[in-house]
Amino acid sequence: GFCFQIPRYPGAQDFYKALKKNSEVLALTTSWNQGSWAQERYDWLLSFGFSDREIFIVDKHEEKMVFDGHYFVEDRAETLAEWVERHPGRTGLLIDRPWNRISLKDGVKRCPNYTAILESVK
């Protein structure tokens, strides 16, 4: 039951709905390979509004690199930097969190909130 105890960030649901109006949105998340984490995360994403075909749970952060898109929103700076290197010309948007306040590589833009991300994808 851990996933359902994680509070949703303020504005996250509205952010998701705004993205869905004009884009295909995929949820890429890394499994912790602990107990029922993957199933709980999957169920949590379904409750958020994602459909089965939009949810991808991978075992390692590196597996996210195979997914292409115009934008990649991520909270792990290292994963985002690698994705941008592998997808030249694409934009990586780092949602600002206390654990990712490091120097960013070219092609990665730090966004303080969901509104800033929406402005970046217009």
Side-chain angles (χ1 to χ4, degrees), residues 32-75:
W32 284 1
N33 291 325
Q34 295 179 355
S36 60
W37 171 259
Q39 185 63 50
E40 288 182 27
R41 187 60 173 248
Y42 174 81
D43 292 341
W44 186 85
L45 288 165
L46 285 175
S47 77
F48 202 83
F50 286 93
S51 70
D52 179 67
R53 68 174 192 78
E54 297 169 325
I55 299 171
F56 297 87
I57 299 176
V58 298
D59 291 327
K60 299 175 184 172
H61 293 285
E62 297 80 24
E63 293 176 51
K64 292 180 178 180
M65 301 309 126
V66 301
F67 291 88
D68 192 14
H70 296 283
Y71 301 95
F72 186 14
V73 179
E74 172 72 40
D75 69 344

Side-chain angles (χ1 to χ4, degrees), residues 15 71-75 80 91-97 100-101 104 108-121:
F15 168 70
Y71 301 95
F72 186 14
V73 179
E74 172 72 40
D75 69 344
L80 195 53
T91 303
L93 301 169
L94 184 71
I95 184 74
D96 187 45
R97 298 291 182 247
N100 67 24
R101 297 204 173 119
L104 302 177
V108 176
K109 178 181 177 183
R110 183 179 302 278
C111 296
N113 53 45
Y114 295 119
T115 302
I117 293 172
L118 289 173
E119 289 297 318
S120 296
V121 300

